Amino acid sequence: MGLFDFMRSDKKKEQAEKAARKAAEQVQQQAADAPAPPSARPGNGSKYTDSAAATKAAAERMAAAAPPKAAPAPAAPPVARPAPHTPTPASAAHKAVPAAPMPPTPKPAPRAQRTYTVRAGDSLSAIARRELGNEGRWRELYAMNKGVIGSNPDMIHPGMKLNLPG
């Protein structure tokens, strides 16, 4: 904190104290000018209304005595951080430890496609129930074999070879 910053903060404190004194004087003046609340009148006292009036008066005094709020300081520009070091092939990190050889990744063996040869009296739903376990999968069976079956799924003929889904 520099010398001028210290002087500036003292000046702000003096202004805040001056404003607080002025506000306190205004509150006292208003209290003197205002008529007494009904609870302060003789014969009409209630501890609850007295408490409410006292709380309200205390809140007004505290608000008046509070220093004025300063304007928010402008946001500081973001601080640029250096990028993390990425090792290069020529850097010491790569020279210190040799890379471990990677084992070859095995390729999955091609799965044999299951087929079904249509018999007399078959329907796609019967084939799906018998071969796939769910007759509702006939649409899947039809979609896979649309080139063989054609545009009408009800027209399958004995001897057609249909591919079955996995």
Side-chain angles (χ1 to χ4, degrees), residues 27-42 50 53 56-57 60:
V27 169
Q28 288 175 352
Q29 182 65 32
Q30 288 175 353
D33 293 345
S39 60
R41 294 186 188 130
D50 290 343
K56 184 176 179 183
E60 289 172 354

Side-chain angles (χ1 to χ4, degrees), residues 121-157:
D122 276 344
S123 66
L124 289 179
S125 60
I127 297 169
R129 179 180 12 163
R130 189 174 36 241
E131 298 296 322
L132 305 175
N134 182 355
E135 70 181 40
R137 292 183 67 188
W138 73 266
R139 288 180 181 86
E140 184 179 354
L141 188 60
Y142 174 61
M144 283 186 72
N145 297 288
K146 196 169 189 174
V148 176
I149 298 171
S151 61
N152 187 353
D154 291 329
M155 296 296 291
I156 58 172
H157 304 288

Side-chain angles (χ1 to χ4, degrees), residues 3-156:
L3 176 64
F4 295 107
D5 294 334
F6 182 75
M7 292 172 59
R8 233 182 279 141
S9 69
D10 280 348
K11 194 177 222 182
K12 287 181 183 177
K13 285 180 185 176
E14 288 174 12
Q15 289 174 348
E17 289 172 359
K18 188 175 182 180
R21 274 187 257 127
K22 185 175 180 181
E25 290 172 4
Q26 288 176 350
V27 169
Q28 288 175 352
Q29 182 65 32
Q30 288 175 353
D33 293 345
S39 60
R41 294 186 188 130
N44 192 17
S46 168
K47 68 178 182 178
Y48 298 114
T49 54
D50 290 343
S51 297
T55 303
K56 184 176 179 183
E60 289 172 354
R61 284 193 306 272
M62 288 171 52
K69 293 183 179 180
V79 177
R81 294 188 176 151
H85 174 68
T86 305
T88 61
S91 71
H94 286 282
K95 292 177 184 176
V97 180
M102 296 294 292
T105 55
K107 294 181 181 176
R111 292 176 43 183
Q113 182 73 34
R114 286 182 25 194
T115 59
Y116 178 81
T117 304
V118 177
R119 293 182 273 175
D122 276 344
S123 66
L124 289 179
S125 60
I127 297 169
R129 179 180 12 163
R130 189 174 36 241
E131 298 296 322
L132 305 175
N134 182 355
E135 70 181 40
R137 292 183 67 188
W138 73 266
R139 288 180 181 86
E140 184 179 354
L141 188 60
Y142 174 61
M144 283 186 72
N145 297 288
K146 196 169 189 174
V148 176
I149 298 171
S151 61
N152 187 353
D154 291 329
M155 296 296 291
I156 58 172

